[in-house]
Structures are given as structure tokens and as C-alpha cells.
Amino acid sequence: MVSSPHEAMHRIFQEYPGLFSRVSEVLGVDIPPPTSATALPTDLTEARPVERRVDTLLRIETEHDGPFLLAIEAQGKKDRAKTASWPYYVAYLNNRYGLPVLLLVVCQDHATAEWAARPISIGLRQWQTLALNPLVAGPHNMPVITDVTEARKDFALATLAAITHADNPDVGAILKTLSAALRDAPEAIADPIVELIAQGLGNRPASQQWRNLVAVDLSFYKSFMSEEIRDEGRAKGRVESLLLVLEARGIAITDEIREKITTCDDPQLLRQWLNRAATAATAEDVFTEE
């Protein structure tokens, strides 16, 4: 299962191109609402063998102000190389497409967001030849949405907010709100959100909470990610139940058998073991029919 916060932080704009209009409002930048958006190739490589890629690139159409390019970078940590790459991206895209370019950097921690927001200048101390001012979305300015009604008003913004607040101590309340808001949502709306949140949380402790919420609250969704998450939740519950049954019956569990049980991720096999545990005389009897 793909579980990359980096992917989720920029892929959400591919899934919901209109999201940037709401994000720009949150960031306090007056950008006209889009009438359409088109995903463009992200490869910025020139004829020379130097490969450069932006994470997501969108061509945004507006009703009165014309089109512009939105380059989105997901940034998980400070990277000094970006102070050279980002100005190149903007200059290259402006030259290639002849359109205004905005750079949006999405972060999940305050230190990286603060670093990314610093203006990048190229030139002399006495005169700046080029200045770049990235827009930054992160835990410092994305809303903490813990109201179900608010989440339902704008699922895309609520999803990005949850991803950027992945390290927030209150992330559990944020995820619970989002899962509750999705209960009555159509499958076509819920499925990409379930997947994006799972990606965005990565290996953080909150990822298991999201899996549990999906397994219980969103059990009717059938996407690949949803099914995988629910299987993980069922497997974890059956592992705990199996160990409790064996311990309650006074059956000794060796380290080898405990490892066999806790590393099993097949819900159906765990269910078979659980049924046998009710009558087995020893822990080994649970696995006799394999």
C-alpha cells in the first residue's frame, strides 16, 4: 500500500484542482476562482541531461484574469537545494508556457513551513535580480476542522487540512470528524479521501486510528485502499481476540506461537484460529489443520 505523505500533499490538488482557490483564501491571497484546471507534464528536464521535476503542475483558467500555472511542491523537510531548484522551476515554466507562475509549497511541520516561506533572492546585496516568494500551506495556517458540518462543506479543504495537521496532538479529533462527515457521502467522493488521508499520515501513529475509523465507520466503501484498511483493522482485532482467548483458557503461548499470531495479516485465517482456540487443548492445536 502506498503510504507517502509527500504524494498526498500534492496529489490532492490533482484530484481536486479547484482546491487551490480555497487554499489561497486561507492564505490571504486574492486569486480569482478557476473556471477550469488542466494537469500538465511535471517533467522540467531540458535537452541537457539534467532532470528536474515539479511534484504537481496545473494550468488554471480564470474567468476574467486569464490563465496561470500552479506548481505544487510537497516538502517534508528543509532542503537547501530547493533554494536553487524553485527559482529555476518558476523561470523555466514562465519561459516555456509564457504564463504567470505561482509556487505553492505544502508542509506538515512548522519548522519546514517557516523555512519554505522565506523569500529566495538571486543577485547582489545591493540589487536583487530575481526574488521568489512561495506560498506555503501547512499546520501554521491550515484550519483545524473538528466540526462535521464544516468538513462536509468542503471535503477537499478538510482533507488537505487533515494531512497538514498529521502531527497535531489533536489529529485524532480531526480524523474522527472527517470520518463522520464521510458516512453519508457517495462512494465516489469518499474513496479518494480515504486513500489520500492514508497516504498523508504515512507511518505515524494516527494512521492506525484512521484505519480503525475506516474499518468501523466507513465499512460500506469498496475501494482498494478502503478494503485494505478494513482488512488491517479486522486482522488486528482478531489477533487481540485470539491472544485473549488463549490466555483466558490458561493455555501457554510460546514466543514462536505469539510471533506467528501477531504477524498474521489474513483476517480469514485468524478467524479459523480463533474458532479452534475455543476448544483447543494447547496452543499448537490451533494450527493442526494447516
Side-chain angles (χ1 to χ4, degrees):
M1 174 176 57
V2 177
S3 58
S4 168
H6 178 275
E7 290 297 308
M9 284 191 285
H10 70 86
R11 193 168 71 84
I12 187 172
F13 290 90
Q14 298 175 23
E15 191 75 36
Y16 310 104
L19 171 61
F20 178 67
S21 178
R22 280 93 78 190
V23 171
S24 65
E25 292 178 9
V26 175
L27 300 181
V29 181
D30 184 17
I31 295 174
T35 56
S36 67
T38 305
L40 299 177
T42 59
D43 190 347
L44 309 185
T45 307
E46 298 183 74
R48 295 175 299 164
V50 179
E51 184 175 337
R52 298 181 175 94
R53 292 181 184 273
V54 67
D55 288 330
T56 285
L57 179 62
L58 300 175
R59 177 188 169 114
I60 305 291
E61 302 285 344
T62 64
E63 186 173 358
H64 302 295
D65 291 12
F68 68 92
L69 298 182
L70 176 62
I72 304 163
E73 284 279 276
Q75 199 65 31
K77 61 181 180 179
K78 300 177 184 179
D79 183 354
R80 294 180 62 184
K82 293 296 184 180
T83 58
S85 297
W86 288 343
Y88 171 85
Y89 293 170
V90 171
Y92 174 86
L93 290 169
N94 178 257
N95 181 68
R96 177 176 176 180
Y97 292 97
L99 293 174
V101 183
L102 282 178
L103 173 65
L104 174 67
V105 183
V106 184
C107 308
Q108 289 180 298
D109 68 274
H110 291 270
T112 302
E114 182 181 1
W115 163 82
R118 295 173 182 171
I120 300 172
S121 62
I122 297 176
L124 302 178
R125 176 176 58 83
Q126 297 87 343
W127 190 265
Q128 294 183 0
T129 303
L130 185 150
L132 175 66
N133 295 284
L135 281 172
V136 178
H140 65 299
N141 55 16
M142 286 292 99
V144 176
I145 300 177
T146 55
D147 179 83
V148 174
T149 302
E150 186 180 356
R152 284 178 177 153
K153 286 181 181 177
D154 195 334
F155 277 122
L157 182 62
T159 301
L160 178 65
I163 291 171
T164 55
H165 286 288
D167 291 319
N168 189 312
D170 296 325
V171 68
I174 297 171
L175 297 177
K176 193 170 183 179
T177 298
L178 193 50
S179 69
L182 287 171
R183 286 175 189 166
D184 299 324
E187 185 174 332
I189 292 176
D191 280 350
I193 292 175
V194 168
E195 297 182 19
L196 284 164
I197 294 294
Q199 280 189 321
L201 294 174
N203 296 322
R204 294 171 172 84
S207 65
Q208 186 58 54
Q209 181 173 2
W210 179 243
R211 283 159 171 73
N212 293 340
L213 287 168
V214 171
V216 176
D217 294 343
L218 308 178
S219 58
F220 46 89
Y221 290 120
K222 303 298 182 184
S223 74
F224 173 79
M225 182 73 74
S226 302
E227 285 295 309
E228 187 171 340
I229 290 172
R230 285 197 296 277
D231 283 346
E232 289 181 6
R234 284 193 288 262
K236 184 174 183 293
R238 286 172 184 171
V239 164
E240 294 173 353
S241 297
L242 178 53
L243 292 173
L244 284 173
V245 168
L246 293 174
E247 291 172 3
R249 298 190 63 232
I251 296 176
I253 305 173
T254 65
D255 290 342
E256 181 181 359
I257 289 178
R258 182 178 294 275
E259 182 179 2
K260 183 181 183 72
I261 293 172
T262 56
T263 56
C264 180
D265 58 3
D266 184 341
Q268 294 305 317
L269 182 57
L270 285 165
R271 182 178 181 180
Q272 293 178 12
W273 292 349
L274 186 57
N275 289 336
R276 294 175 196 158
T279 57
T282 66
E284 288 78 4
D285 292 341
V286 174
F287 315 105
T288 53
E289 296 181 19
E290 293 184 30

